[in-house]
Amino acid sequence: MEILGLGILAGCMVVGLFIGNSLGKLLGLNSDVGGVGFAMLLLVFITNYLEIKGKPLPERVGKGIEFVAALYIPVVVAMASIQNVVAAVKGGWTALLAGGGATVLSFFIVPLISKIGKSKQG
């Protein structure tokens, strides 16, 4: 059953990369734009949808997803460590605006999202 969790995750990854590559082509870039992020959002939406419908993923399937989730953060940290931040900053204000904008937006959105979960519990 753990392999089913990995399969669900792999399916989300394929769809997310397709969306990210399509978005990159629409923007005139020849690269993936947020494919992993789209994949993670799709996985969250699928698991939440199944829980709302009263059919949560079996525990063993969830363990397959948790296995990859445990690997995800170290992989992201490793990927971030090889980014050339100096070259990005020298390339223009786009990198600073994108990074700063995402950070400021997160400061406002994360508390709102956390309140949504509390209102259902309380």
Side-chain angles (χ1 to χ4, degrees), residues 67-106:
F67 169 72
V68 176
L71 295 174
Y72 181 71
I73 297 297
V75 168
V76 168
V77 170
M79 288 172 56
S81 70
I82 62 170
Q83 298 296 314
N84 193 346
V85 177
V86 175
V89 171
K90 284 183 179 177
W93 285 93
T94 305
L96 291 174
L97 289 175
T103 303
V104 170
L105 189 64
S106 297

Side-chain angles (χ1 to χ4, degrees), residues 17-99:
L17 289 178
F18 175 75
I19 293 170
N21 284 324
S22 299
L23 184 61
K25 287 180 181 175
L26 284 175
L27 295 173
L29 304 170
N30 194 17
S31 66
D32 178 21
V33 179
V36 174
F38 286 119
M40 293 300 113
L41 285 175
L42 183 61
L43 182 63
V44 168
F45 288 140
I46 288 172
T47 54
N48 284 343
Y49 176 77
L50 290 174
E51 286 181 11
I52 289 171
K53 289 291 184 182
K55 299 175 182 176
L57 292 173
E59 184 180 340
R60 292 186 68 189
V61 173
K63 284 184 179 180
I65 295 173
E66 287 176 9
F67 169 72
V68 176
L71 295 174
Y72 181 71
I73 297 297
V75 168
V76 168
V77 170
M79 288 172 56
S81 70
I82 62 170
Q83 298 296 314
N84 193 346
V85 177
V86 175
V89 171
K90 284 183 179 177
W93 285 93
T94 305
L96 291 174
L97 289 175

